[in-house]
Amino acid sequence: MSIRKEDALEYHRRHPKGKVEISPTKPVSTQRDLSLAYSPGVAEPCIEIAENVDLVYEYTARENLVAVLTNGTAVLGLGNLGPEASKPVMEGKGVLFKKFAGIDVFDIEINAVTVEEFVAVAKALEPTFGGINIEDVKAPESFEIERRLVEELNIPVMHDDQHGTAIISAAALINGMLIAEKDFADIKVVCIGAGAAAIACANLYVEMGVKLENIYMYDSRGLIYEGRERVNKYKAKFAVHPGNIELEDVFEDADVMLGLSQGNVVSPEMLKKMADRPIVLALANPDPEITWDLAMEARPDAIMATGRSDFPNQVNNALGFPYIFRGALDVRATTINEAMKIASAKAIAELAHEPVPEDVMAAYETRDISFGREYLIPKPLDPRLITRISCAVAKAAMDSGVARKPIEDFDAYRIELQERIGPSQALTRKIIEKAQKDPKRVVFGDADTFKVLKAAQILREEGIAKPILLGNVDTIKELIEEHNLDLGDSPIIDPMKERATRIEYGKVLFEKRQRKGITLHDARKLMRERTYFGTMMVENGEADAFVSGITKNYPNALRPALHVIGRAPDTPVVAGMHIVRTKRGPFFFADTTVNKTPDAKDLAAIAKMVHDAVEQFNIEPRIAMLSYSNFGSNIDDETKRVIEATRILREEYPEMIVDGDIQANVAVSPAILNNNYNFSPLAGKKGANTFIFPNLMAGNIAYKMMNQLGEAEVIGPILLGMKKPVHILQLGSTVREIVNIAAIAVVNAQTHAKESRS
């Protein structure tokens, strides 16, 4: 995936600037709240902590707070940029900690060049944090800094650039060895690269049983051997060979190649010299030491991993560090020791042997993920990572005596871990991943606007969709040039200049609507409108989905789609659904855009469509048929509709989790449900996650208020019940909203294509 400079800069400077912010975790809306949060109430925990310093973990956020600490001397692959230039990377690391493991982060960039300065700053910060992640510090200083901090601090410290790669690659090596039927004590390892990550990998492999004398480590000057000059003490550990050996020669009968250097330094001829079933870990990024295709051509029996996401077996640090720190923090470990690192590597390796969940396979658009040469380690989207790795790390900390707060009930702990990271965070990512597996042609009816063109560029560059742009050709080209956009060879079509096509399309529309008040002349004239022209492209199979509406009100944008494409067979209504992403997970609202006052049968039909749509996201729908009353507490014409719709659903779909009539606050409160309405199928299931509103006014107001006041991200509207994929945007939709809807349209089109073939 290519990222344009302008896009990256705009992303980071968009308000609010940067990628992280601090939010209060307690209410501060009244004078009493303020008195509890600060003076005089804050004095009480201060006094308690002064008497027992361990209580800082009970009364403050320290237990869940990690410092991402750097001096900017080795920023990504960019070198010594200094502390200020490293800040975007450190903020990004904080985002990954939060998203994957629910860990809060302060990124701290310091002017500390020497080991002594860095260590002094880190030691002074210890009372603030539950752990420290060292990042982007150059070797060999990084080795000494980590060693000193591990010895001198009483909290977990890890240099992820070293140990993250070591742990994930070790997991791949464990499973590669199993497939190759080899033993750690017997293998010969060629290590190309001698930086922080390479040395950490080699050290961990030794801990796991590889013999030191069987490791041949190369830096930019060649093999590290006995007596070689200018070798630092960290490399010197691997100077165990009596003399120099050329890289081309050392591959003879080697079992493992570990690459952490630069792209294209290994030739096919080198691989051909390796032993049977060689394990090739070509981890340089973005270009591996040898490409997947070349390696497989040279050695079809090879077991290979890279650092890239577009090849099998991606060694990605995000598989490890969030969950390792999670487990270490939760037992208040005093360090992250070798036992914890090995435990995490083994947990990752073992997870790859288990059946892959349906939602993971769906995210990667395949049903063929199982342990083997092309699945050595789990996929980054696997939701089981947090429970497996964090539990393994916590247990290892307890067994090795570094846990100050042992976990007594691991079953309860697993549930707690799952609740920390709800499905909301992964939902959009899964949709986009699924769309990227088979991008479809999406027609944009408002392509002469900057936001649509910007979204189209993102969709094209990220391989989510193949945009088709409708509008005035000159205007679109001017906007592309003015904003320095790149739409490549995306078709630009002006319906006004497509007379022959309009005539053909008009005939099709006339045949559909001739008994519904439209003449042939009217039909041909309507084809000048982009909404009619674009939906007819989808109807005729010249495109796969249609997205429009950013410049029109919703009814006017929807009407052409209904005229041209129409409802799906046996579908009495179409409806609009919004996904509301919250900290508690995703919630689904319907109908929010189409039906003003649906009767009981239509309410039931809407609920069934929404149920099926939610299942496509691999989420179990728990449906609340909303009202202002609870289970018949008020009976009138309004509540009767909801009660009857619920009865229809229960009778026709007995397996569905649905109840009503029910108030919104009750539907989302497990406590109220369990204490007062334990007869409801929603009780004991964390409440509802899918809400069917009794009328359009209620649904539309609710999702808009959530969007503006509820600190929630709203995705939609998603149009349900159409024969082919059509989605109508709201006026003023943002670029991100357009991208999300287009990704959903692509996934809908994929499903439609599968159903058409079956």
Side-chain angles (χ1 to χ4, degrees):
M1 180 192 307
S2 61
I3 296 294
R4 290 156 44 92
K5 176 180 178 180
E6 295 84 355
D7 294 341
L9 294 177
E10 193 278 331
Y11 173 88
H12 283 83
R13 68 171 169 250
R14 188 170 66 233
H15 182 78
K17 295 177 181 178
K19 299 188 284 288
V20 294
E21 66 178 6
I22 297 173
S23 298
T25 58
K26 303 293 191 299
V28 285
S29 55
T30 68
Q31 183 58 47
R32 175 177 171 78
D33 292 338
L34 293 173
S35 297
L36 288 168
Y38 198 56
S39 182
V42 75
E44 299 303 329
C46 292
I47 293 168
E48 294 288 315
I49 294 168
E51 294 177 356
N52 179 359
V53 72
D54 285 342
L55 291 177
V56 68
Y57 290 102
E58 297 297 325
Y59 296 124
T60 75
R62 184 182 182 189
E63 185 172 68
N64 195 49
L65 189 61
V66 165
V68 174
L69 191 59
T70 190
N71 59 9
T73 54
V75 180
L76 295 176
L78 304 174
N80 186 355
L81 299 185
E84 292 86 357
S86 73
K87 190 171 181 65
V89 182
M90 301 310 115
E91 286 188 353
K93 195 78 176 208
V95 169
L96 297 181
F97 267 107
K98 187 67 175 178
K99 293 295 184 185
F100 286 114
I103 294 172
D104 295 314
V105 163
F106 288 159
D107 63 282
I108 301 176
E109 298 75 29
I110 59 176
N111 280 313
V113 177
T114 69
V115 170
E116 288 297 332
E117 290 173 331
F118 197 108
V119 170
V121 171
K123 289 178 69 173
L125 292 171
E126 181 181 10
T128 300
F129 296 100
I132 293 177
N133 180 93
I134 304 168
E135 194 78 12
D136 288 0
V137 177
K138 73 181 181 71
E141 288 88 344
S142 58
F143 297 112
E144 184 65 13
I145 287 170
E146 187 191 45
R147 184 192 66 79
R148 288 273 307 275
L149 292 180
V150 168
E151 289 179 359
E152 298 174 29
L153 298 187
N154 208 32
I155 57 175
V157 176
M158 189 172 84
H159 184 202
D160 183 53
D161 297 329
Q162 296 179 54
H163 303 296
T165 302
I167 290 164
I168 311 307
S169 72
L173 183 58
I174 289 169
N175 281 335
M177 295 279 287
L178 187 65
I179 293 171
E181 299 180 332
K182 296 183 179 183
D183 187 87
F184 278 93
D186 301 327
I187 60 172
K188 175 183 176 181
V189 179
V190 177
C191 180
I192 306 173
I199 290 175
C201 287
N203 281 328
L204 188 58
Y205 298 173
V206 170
E207 289 287 336
M208 296 171 66
V210 177
K211 292 178 180 177
L212 188 61
E213 61 268 25
N214 287 346
I215 296 177
Y216 296 77
M217 182 175 288
Y218 287 76
D219 63 11
S220 58
R221 295 167 52 221
L223 178 67
I224 297 167
Y225 59 89
E226 287 181 357
R228 205 188 88 172
E229 297 179 353
R230 290 182 294 160
V231 174
N232 65 49
K233 64 181 180 180
Y234 303 101
K235 294 181 183 180
K237 175 180 178 179
F238 298 95
V240 294
H241 306 288
N244 190 29
I245 305 173
E246 294 299 326
L247 183 62
E248 292 79 5
D249 299 327
V250 80
F251 275 83
E252 191 71 40
D253 294 326
D255 299 284
V256 177
M257 189 280 281
L258 170 65
L260 285 156
S261 56
Q262 58 186 351
N264 305 309
V265 296
V266 173
S267 68
E269 288 69 28
M270 294 179 186
L271 292 194
K272 289 177 181 178
K273 296 179 181 181
M274 295 181 74
D276 290 343
R277 302 180 300 281
I279 298 167
V280 179
L281 307 177
L283 306 183
N285 247 334
D287 299 315
E289 285 77 6
I290 183 169
T291 65
W292 177 277
D293 293 339
L294 278 177
M296 291 298 106
E297 182 179 350
R299 290 302 300 262
D301 61 336
I303 301 160
M304 186 171 181
T306 72
R308 294 179 57 122
S309 61
D310 52 349
F311 296 121
N313 304 321
Q314 183 193 18
V315 174
N316 184 337
N317 283 19
L319 281 170
F321 73 83
Y323 316 117
I324 294 166
F325 270 96
R326 177 78 276 151
L329 291 175
D330 290 340
V331 294
R332 293 185 195 163
T334 57
T335 187
I336 295 175
N337 58 27
E338 294 305 303
M340 295 159 74
K341 295 170 193 172
I342 292 173
S344 61
K346 289 181 177 179
I348 295 167
E350 289 168 2
L351 183 56
H353 292 258
E354 298 183 16
V356 178
E358 286 290 325
D359 59 338
V360 176
M361 288 195 287
Y364 290 91
E365 270 293 291
T366 180
R367 299 192 64 82
D368 189 25
I369 302 178
S370 59
F371 177 69
R373 292 176 180 273
E374 297 192 1
Y375 182 64
L376 296 175
I377 49 179
K379 299 290 187 180
L381 296 181
D382 196 317
R384 301 170 297 174
L385 286 166
I386 188 170
T387 53
R388 302 306 176 82
I389 300 173
S390 299
C391 286
V393 169
K395 285 180 178 177
M398 291 163 57
D399 292 342
S400 59
V402 299
R404 290 178 292 179
K405 182 189 173 186
I407 293 169
E408 296 180 0
D409 185 346
F410 270 92
D411 289 335
Y413 179 53
R414 290 185 187 93
I415 294 172
E416 178 189 331
L417 289 170
Q418 290 169 345
E419 290 177 347
R420 281 186 179 274
I421 304 298
S424 185
Q425 301 292 355
L427 181 61
T428 307
R429 188 169 68 247
K430 287 180 179 179
I431 293 168
I432 289 174
E433 290 264 355
K434 191 171 184 179
Q436 289 171 325
K437 298 297 181 182
D438 184 18
K440 298 295 185 181
R441 301 165 297 173
V442 178
V443 183
F444 290 92
D446 309 290
D448 50 6
T449 61
F450 165 70
K451 286 193 286 188
V452 169
L453 290 175
K454 183 66 176 178
Q457 175 188 283
I458 294 169
L459 291 161
R460 175 183 170 274
E461 287 183 346
E462 296 190 9
I464 299 169
K466 300 173 183 177
I468 300 173
L469 311 172
L470 295 190
N472 183 280
V473 175
D474 291 337
T475 301
I476 291 172
K477 288 183 175 179
E478 286 172 7
L479 283 169
I480 290 172
E481 184 176 355
E482 178 186 351
H483 295 283
N484 193 27
L485 302 175
D486 182 6
L487 273 300
D489 56 357
S490 300
I492 303 174
I493 301 172
D494 185 350
M496 296 297 292
K497 295 182 178 180
E498 301 290 331
R499 184 174 183 274
T501 305
R502 292 202 314 271
I503 291 173
E504 178 188 343
Y505 285 178
K507 181 180 178 182
V508 176
L509 180 61
F510 173 65
E511 291 172 354
K512 287 173 174 285
R513 307 290 298 180
Q514 60 187 338
R515 292 187 177 274
K516 297 182 180 179
I518 290 183
T519 66
L520 180 58
H521 174 75
D522 292 335
R524 288 174 175 169
K525 187 176 180 181
L526 285 171
M527 284 304 148
R528 297 182 178 186
E529 297 182 20
R530 282 172 264 168
T531 45
Y532 276 96
F533 192 95
T535 50
M536 189 60 78
M537 289 183 70
V538 177
E539 177 68 2
N540 277 13
E542 294 160 15
D544 302 301
F546 180 74
V547 174
S548 186
I550 194 172
T551 61
K552 295 178 179 289
N553 64 51
Y554 198 88
N556 287 343
L558 175 60
R559 192 175 301 111
L562 291 171
H563 287 174
V564 173
I565 293 176
R567 297 193 302 264
D570 303 321
T571 303
V573 293
V574 297
M577 178 181 79
H578 280 82
I579 304 172
V580 181
R581 287 182 49 193
T582 74
K583 291 181 179 179
R584 287 182 55 179
F587 294 92
F588 303 86
F589 288 21
D591 178 9
T592 48
T593 58
V594 181
N595 299 283
K596 288 185 177 179
T597 311
D599 60 24
K601 289 184 179 179
D602 285 348
L603 273 176
I606 292 166
K608 180 59 169 66
M609 284 193 298
V610 173
H611 174 276
D612 294 347
V614 173
E615 282 195 327
Q616 287 189 355
F617 296 119
N618 298 296
I619 294 173
E620 179 185 58
R622 305 186 300 274
I623 300 175
M625 308 296 289
L626 295 180
S627 176
Y628 69 87
S629 70
N630 286 311
F631 309 113
S633 60
N634 289 284
I635 300 294
D636 58 22
D637 289 343
E638 289 293 308
T639 59
K640 284 179 180 177
R641 283 191 303 116
V642 179
I643 294 168
E644 175 62 12
T646 306
R647 185 198 65 77
I648 293 170
L649 289 167
R650 285 183 171 174
E651 183 176 296
E652 296 186 4
Y653 311 103
E655 74 287 351
M656 188 182 292
I657 301 171
V658 60
D659 211 349
D661 59 333
I662 188 172
Q663 294 176 355
N665 64 313
V666 175
V668 298
S669 172
I672 297 176
L673 282 165
N674 294 333
N675 292 335
N676 299 278
Y677 306 106
N678 60 8
F679 56 82
S680 171
L682 296 173
K685 293 186 177 292
K686 301 180 183 179
N689 61 6
T690 305
F691 306 100
I692 309 301
F693 289 86
N695 55 55
L696 178 61
M697 185 182 295
N700 197 269
I701 291 170
Y703 94 78
K704 287 180 177 176
M705 290 190 72
M706 286 292 294
N707 192 20
Q708 295 299 316
L709 304 178
E711 297 184 358
E713 179 185 2
V714 175
I715 302 172
I718 299 167
L719 191 59
L720 305 176
M722 295 294 291
K723 186 173 69 175
K724 294 183 179 181
V726 174
H727 291 293
I728 310 300
L729 298 162
Q730 296 285 356
L731 281 168
S733 295
T734 65
V735 171
R736 180 169 178 166
E737 289 168 344
I738 298 168
V739 169
N740 286 338
I741 284 296
I744 290 171
V746 170
V747 174
N748 293 159
Q750 292 170 349
T751 303
H752 181 267
K754 289 178 182 177
E755 291 173 349
S756 299
R757 290 193 297 266
S758 61

